Amino acid sequence: MMLTACGGGGGDTSPSASMAGASTLLAGTEVGAASGFSATLGSAPADGSYVCSTATLEVRGSGIRNVELLPSGSYTPIYSSFTVSADGTTARTQFDPKNFPNGELQVRISAFNAAAGQPAEEIVVMPARTWKIANNTWPCASPGSSGGGTQFTASLISAPATNTYVCHMQTLEIRGTRLANVELLPSNSYTPILGKFTVSDDGKIARLQFDPRKFPNGDLKVRISAFDAPAGQPANEIIVMPERTWRIANDTWPCLSPGGNQPPGPFSAQLTSAPGNGSYVCSMVTLEVMGARIKNVELLPPAGYTPIYGSFTVSDDGRVARLQFDPRKFPNGDLKVRISVFDAPAGQPANEIIVMPERTWRIANDIWPCLSPGSTTAGNPGT
């Protein structure tokens, strides 16, 4: 639902006053090109979930300036204010159930295109849901337990990136604690179940062999959800992989070359040369990656795709990629970087392998320890 309101509930905060004369849209509907304001829910506990531990709430869109977790039918109290990215495309907050008494909590999430207290358009990205707060009680704590026990956690280890062409069997892997059920599901529902993971006895690892041959060619929109109770029982849910689109391409291009009868070999990459984490970088360094089906390799910030610090030169057979890293192009101080490898040229949908997760390089042009006191010649960089 969309209406004209004061972000953060300034002035008369009653729902009837805020909604008077307002226009209405379905939740997540784009307002239009002129406004450029849109918002959709990325992650939140499902309606009826038991909430036992801190959960990440996420909203994505454009033109977002304020996002609030609110009661289902009013603008006060504000249960949580989201942190909004500078470009207005993402907003996140950590919901801690320990801040609320046990029992049912009815909430909604609203996004606004103006700061709190200013007149704004509103998109209700999450209509009313009921969360069952259960601090240190069943099912968050075992009967007779005096504490919450091990926290329920889950994170994605391995799955094809969004917009990837999926041609071969893929291992999907989740790791965490108290995993009881993990499912591959449609992006916005619980049926049909597209795949059930095998969970280890200690509830720490879940894996699924995803076979694209079980699905028709074309776009498949999926998510992965982890639960802390067996299927069919009340459970907390962690959406470990929000919506991704996989492009199923069984026995067709680009998984099968035109006129060919064998799919290409698997995409692989590994780092063979780069300064270690925490290294002082004083002079030109060769960065090298080796693998198969490499099309593009980039030196990037640890958590984004821009700016590109360096593009590697890739061999014609896609097996070797090198970059001469020149520290003189960067100011002295800590530089946080990663190296990502892609199986398609820059600008095209591709699989990504992060061959070098975040490292910190200490740029030290013409200063100690790269240059000895009183010396005019840089010493051995030691990288």
Side-chain angles (χ1 to χ4, degrees):
M1 179 176 70
M2 174 190 165
L3 48 90
T4 301
C6 290
D12 187 345
T13 57
S14 65
S16 58
S18 298
M19 294 177 66
S23 59
T24 302
L25 296 178
L26 293 176
T29 301
E30 289 198 14
V31 175
S35 170
F37 175 40
S38 66
T40 57
L41 183 65
S43 178
D47 186 40
S49 291
Y50 286 94
V51 183
C52 313
S53 56
T54 301
T56 298
L57 313 181
E58 181 182 79
V59 172
R60 293 191 291 257
S62 62
I64 299 170
R65 292 294 175 264
N66 180 33
V67 180
E68 296 173 354
L69 179 69
L70 298 165
S72 58
S74 70
Y75 291 88
T76 56
I78 299 172
Y79 293 142
S80 183
S81 293
F82 287 55
T83 299
V84 181
S85 63
D87 61 3
T89 60
T90 59
R92 295 186 182 92
T93 192
Q94 297 296 315
F95 176 79
D96 188 348
K98 290 180 290 185
N99 294 329
F100 300 87
N102 287 346
E104 293 188 351
L105 179 68
Q106 292 190 331
V107 291
R108 79 176 196 272
I109 297 175
S110 284
F112 305 89
N113 63 351
Q118 298 182 16
E121 295 174 311
E122 175 185 6
I123 297 176
V124 180
V125 294
M126 187 188 82
R129 290 187 182 181
T130 299
W131 295 342
K132 298 177 180 179
I133 308 300
N135 296 298
N136 299 331
T137 64
W138 186 91
C140 297
S142 302
S145 172
S146 59
T150 304
Q151 187 180 37
F152 171 42
T153 63
S155 58
L156 181 66
I157 301 300
S158 176
T162 193
N163 292 326
T164 296
Y165 287 96
V166 182
C167 317
H168 310 280
M169 196 84 76
Q170 299 274 349
T171 299
L172 313 182
E173 183 173 314
I174 304 298
R175 294 194 180 186
T177 54
R178 285 181 53 199
L179 301 175
N181 179 33
V182 181
E183 296 175 352
L184 180 69
L185 297 166
S187 59
N188 58 0
S189 70
Y190 292 88
T191 56
I193 298 173
L194 305 176
K196 291 186 71 68
F197 286 61
T198 300
V199 181
S200 61
D201 291 340
D202 60 5
K204 293 184 177 181
I205 301 175
R207 293 191 180 100
L208 170 67
Q209 295 300 315
F210 176 78
D211 187 349
R213 293 172 297 181
K214 295 181 179 179
F215 300 88
N217 288 345
D219 286 355
L220 179 67
K221 295 183 181 296
V222 294
R223 80 175 195 271
I224 297 174
S225 284
F227 305 90
D228 62 351
Q233 296 185 19
N236 295 299
E237 176 184 5
I238 298 175
I239 300 177
V240 291
M241 187 187 82
E243 179 181 320
R244 292 187 182 181
T245 299
W246 295 343
R247 298 178 174 176
I248 308 300
N250 297 297
D251 301 326
T252 64
W253 186 90
C255 296
L256 187 65
S257 302
N261 55 19
Q262 289 294 326
F267 170 44
S268 63
Q270 61 179 357
L271 182 68
T272 53
S273 178
N277 186 46
S279 292
Y280 286 96
V281 183
C282 315
S283 55
M284 199 82 76
V285 176
T286 299
L287 312 180
E288 183 181 77
V289 172
M290 300 185 73
R293 286 180 55 201
I294 297 172
K295 295 294 184 183
N296 179 33
V297 183
E298 295 176 351
L299 181 67
L300 297 166
Y305 292 89
T306 57
I308 299 173
Y309 295 141
S311 293
F312 286 57
T313 299
V314 181
S315 62
D316 291 340
D317 61 5
R319 295 182 179 275
V320 182
R322 295 189 180 95
L323 171 67
Q324 295 298 314
F325 176 78
D326 188 349
R328 292 172 297 180
K329 295 180 179 179
F330 299 87
N332 287 343
D334 286 354
L335 179 68
K336 295 183 182 295
V337 292
R338 82 173 194 269
I339 296 176
S340 283
V341 183
F342 307 89
D343 63 351
Q348 296 185 19
N351 294 300
E352 176 183 4
I353 298 175
I354 300 176
V355 293
M356 187 186 83
E358 179 178 332
R359 291 187 185 180
T360 298
W361 295 342
R362 298 176 176 177
I363 308 300
N365 297 298
D366 301 328
I367 60 172
W368 186 90
C370 295
L371 187 66
S372 302
S375 172
T376 58
T377 304
N380 188 324
T383 58

